[in-house]
Amino acid sequence: DAGVTQSPTHLIKTRGQHVTLRCSPISGHKSVSWYQQVLGQGPQFIFQYYEKEERGRGNFPDRFSARQFPNYSSELNVNALLLGDSALYLCASSYLNSPLHFGNGTRLTVT
Amino acid sequence: GENVEQHPSTLSVQEGDSAVIKCTYSDSASNYFPWYKQELGKGPQLIIDIRSNVGEKKDQRIAVTLNKTAKHFSLHITETQPEDSAVYFCAAPEGANAGGTSYGKLTFGQGTILTVHP
């Protein structure tokens, strides 16, 4: 079975630019969550979407936004990139009341 | 919000020894506690989880114990092998279960780098 897939795997952007990260959940999973993992730290929650509605938002600025599509795939958008946005961005999916399954992430480098 | 503390930050053991990683949490309403293993270049992989209605759960060489009164839970790995070397994270959900979606919002510990020497 295919796991959570994320694209692209690596990305290099310049300060001030915009980036879109994509995630396809495990088949049948309707909940998608996004996390940011800075090197040497645990993942930090950004958003959760369930049935195309936002169900939770972490302590991130409005430059971060996301959406979920009818096929349950999701996009994370970050505007006006800062150097501090450099991180591994993880997507995770789940059934209702079930454990999160993570993808391998998108490594974003902002120069 | 939930606060999760994890110790130790690094752990070095000889192959065959046991390894124990401990976490504490702050929100007494938390009812689900997963452990993830992250290898270099990969996303976190769920290795075991426990819900608050049980005190211990085992899966082959891995076990998790939960003390709700003290608000701490621990990961135990027995007969460690070099392939157990990785970063391990504990986590807890934010607040009480709200329509079954709170499992998607986890607060993670800072991670433990486990090294198993052959």
Side-chain angles (χ1 to χ4, degrees):
Chain A
D1 289 341
V4 176
T5 56
Q6 293 186 242
S7 63
T9 55
H10 295 82
L11 201 53
I12 300 174
K13 290 286 189 178
T14 304
R15 278 176 295 176
Q17 286 188 317
H18 163 91
V19 68
T20 297
L21 311 180
R22 296 177 174 83
C23 171
S24 293
I26 292 172
S27 178
H29 287 187
K30 298 181 179 180
S31 175
V32 170
S33 298
W34 287 95
Y35 287 78
Q36 180 195 65
Q37 186 176 24
V38 174
L39 195 62
Q41 297 182 20
Q44 187 174 359
F45 173 76
I46 310 176
F47 286 110
Q48 182 191 13
Y49 277 78
Y50 179 73
E51 286 282 17
K52 301 179 285 295
E53 292 187 2
E54 182 181 307
R55 293 303 185 100
R57 183 186 182 111
N59 188 25
F60 281 82
D62 291 344
R63 299 185 295 106
F64 288 76
S65 64
R67 55 179 175 169
Q68 187 176 32
F69 299 98
N71 66 353
Y72 304 109
S73 67
S74 178
E75 283 183 354
L76 176 69
N77 295 282
V78 187
N79 293 323
L81 285 167
L82 303 174
L83 294 179
D85 295 331
S86 295
L88 180 67
Y89 288 85
L90 295 163
C91 175
S93 73
S94 68
Y95 291 111
L96 195 64
N97 285 341
S98 74
L100 284 186
H101 296 270
F102 284 87
N104 287 327
T106 294
R107 172 71 63 187
L108 172 65
T109 302
V110 182
T111 62
Chain B
E2 178 70 275
N3 183 48
V4 177
E5 298 286 336
Q6 181 173 346
H7 299 279
S9 56
T10 60
L11 181 58
S12 182
V13 300
Q14 289 296 127
E15 183 176 0
D17 288 349
S18 295
V20 180
I21 304 170
K22 299 181 179 181
C23 289
T24 60
Y25 61 97
S26 61
D27 189 346
S28 57
S30 289
N31 56 6
Y32 170 69
F33 306 93
W35 285 90
Y36 286 86
K37 174 184 180 182
Q38 188 172 26
E39 297 174 318
L40 199 62
K42 295 187 177 181
Q45 177 190 6
L46 179 72
I47 55 173
I48 196 168
D49 57 13
I50 190 168
R51 285 170 171 77
S52 59
N53 57 343
V54 297
E56 184 176 8
K57 182 177 178 180
K58 289 183 180 179
D59 183 4
Q60 299 182 337
R61 297 185 297 108
I62 294 174
V64 57
T65 58
L66 171 65
N67 183 327
K68 285 206 70 181
T69 302
K71 290 192 283 188
H72 68 71
F73 56 112
S74 300
L75 177 71
H76 304 254
I77 306 174
T78 59
E79 301 174 20
T80 54
Q81 303 166 2
E83 50 265 40
D84 293 330
S85 297
V87 182
Y88 290 81
F89 293 97
C90 61
E94 286 284 339
N97 194 321
T101 57
S102 66
Y103 288 17
K105 185 179 179 183
L106 296 176
T107 297
F108 282 81
Q110 299 89 335
T112 297
I113 302 172
L114 174 63
T115 304
V116 180
H117 299 282

